[in-house]
Amino acid sequence: MNRIIGLTGGIGSGKSTVAGMLAARGAVVIDADRVAHEVYAPGTEGFDKVVARFGDGVLDDDGAVDRKALGGIVFGDPEALADLNAIIHPLVRKEVARRLLEAARTRPDATIVIEAALMTETGWTGGAGALWVVITDPEVALGRLVRDRGMSEAEARLRIGAQATNEARRKHATVLIENNGTLAELDAAVVAYGVVAMGAGEAHILNLCVRADLRGRSVGRQMLALLLEHPVLGLRLELLRGLVRRELPQHLVQSGVAHTPKKNRKKVKTK
């Protein structure tokens, strides 16, 4: 049976990096943002509707939609952005649903990740599965966009401002990953949340057992002893227990991957 994860996060949050980490561990990733670009390619229904609404000025020399020109119109103009979303979102949902059914048919036991930037804004959580939300501090995201994508600071701020806030995304998250640190810390968070081999329920049970064990509770230790004998869960539990026992990045502690008693907590600065 497939496990479905909706994966979302704002621009510069590292959402696509998380998707890549999941794909490297065997997940099928459906990139809804890439689909969104495909549904207004020349010759499509989306192309005709975009040109009808925004004019020939959004086309490049080859007759395709110039994403930068289109973005210059809609980012900073809520009405224009709403019109674009009304054109694109129904087409994206239809195509993502088709790809989801195809992935479920060809890989019935795989984890399927639906990656999209605007899940919380549109009320779409990627189906009946869990919703993973990747957030980062706005100033960290700003620095990444300027450094890694070559955006001007003004353009980056417009893009960030046009999307949902971190506070709004937190309300919808099944799993919350705060990505203000290194790639190694981000990968540790992905692993600690169960990666692909564990279902959400299994990951939650193992997490509770580890917490109970660290607090010295006998029930937690007894359950750990039993679970460690399981051929699959035992391996994952050893990994999870190792992550929890060592010095964890503060964002993992805050997001609930591990419980650290207040007297033992240390402030850990991430870049």
Side-chain angles (χ1 to χ4, degrees):
M1 182 176 179
N2 294 110
R3 175 190 178 196
I4 299 174
I5 296 173
L7 174 63
T8 191
I11 188 170
S13 66
K15 163 182 60 69
S16 296
T17 302
V18 171
M21 291 172 175
L22 290 169
R25 292 174 167 90
V28 176
V29 177
I30 300 172
D31 186 345
D33 298 331
R34 181 174 296 177
V35 172
H37 301 151
E38 295 173 358
V39 298
Y40 58 73
T44 64
E45 175 187 357
F47 176 86
D48 293 338
K49 289 183 176 181
V50 167
V51 174
R53 167 61 179 85
F54 297 102
D56 293 340
V58 299
L59 300 181
D60 60 21
D61 294 339
D62 296 325
V65 174
D66 185 330
R67 289 168 50 195
K68 188 171 183 178
L70 183 59
I73 294 174
V74 302
F75 292 110
D77 184 340
E79 183 177 349
L81 181 60
D83 288 346
L84 178 63
N85 289 339
I87 293 170
I88 300 301
H89 288 169
L91 299 173
V92 171
R93 291 191 187 201
K94 182 179 179 180
E95 177 59 19
V96 167
R98 186 194 69 77
R99 296 188 187 190
L100 176 61
L101 290 174
E102 179 64 16
R105 183 184 66 80
T106 57
R107 294 189 57 186
D109 296 324
T111 291
I112 302 174
V113 179
I114 302 174
E115 177 194 355
L118 300 179
M119 281 187 168
T120 54
E121 291 90 331
T122 62
W124 180 39
T125 61
L131 179 61
W132 287 30
V133 175
V134 185
I135 64 173
T136 191
D137 292 343
E139 291 303 311
V140 175
L142 178 66
R144 290 172 181 167
L145 295 177
V146 172
R147 181 186 68 244
D148 301 336
R149 302 196 190 183
M151 292 185 185
S152 67
E153 183 174 331
E155 181 184 2
R157 289 191 184 279
L158 275 176
R159 299 255 179 165
I160 293 171
Q163 297 184 344
T165 64
N166 286 340
E167 289 70 24
R169 288 193 174 94
R170 286 177 187 272
K171 297 177 182 179
H172 300 277
T174 306
V175 167
L176 181 68
I177 298 176
E178 298 189 22
N179 178 30
N180 295 309
T182 66
L183 284 175
E185 291 170 349
L186 181 60
D187 191 64
V190 171
V191 172
Y193 275 118
V195 197
V196 178
M198 289 192 298
E202 294 168 323
H204 181 63
I205 290 171
L206 296 185
N207 206 346
L208 290 177
C209 290
V210 169
R211 293 183 188 183
D213 179 44
L214 292 177
R215 293 173 184 173
R217 294 178 180 174
S218 60
V219 173
R221 290 178 177 176
Q222 292 170 11
M223 292 187 69
L224 280 171
L226 290 173
L227 289 170
L228 282 168
E229 297 178 1
H230 191 283
V232 176
L233 296 185
L235 178 61
R236 290 295 177 189
L237 180 55
E238 285 286 9
L239 179 58
L240 181 59
R241 187 164 63 171
L243 285 168
V244 173
R245 285 186 181 280
R246 74 184 188 187
E247 183 72 23
L248 282 175
Q250 189 67 16
H251 68 279
L252 293 186
V253 176
Q254 292 172 344
S255 59
V257 175
H259 172 81
T260 303
K262 289 184 179 179
K263 64 180 181 180
N264 295 330
R265 290 182 185 173
K266 297 179 181 179
K267 291 184 178 180
V268 179
K269 293 183 179 180
T270 56
K271 298 179 181 180

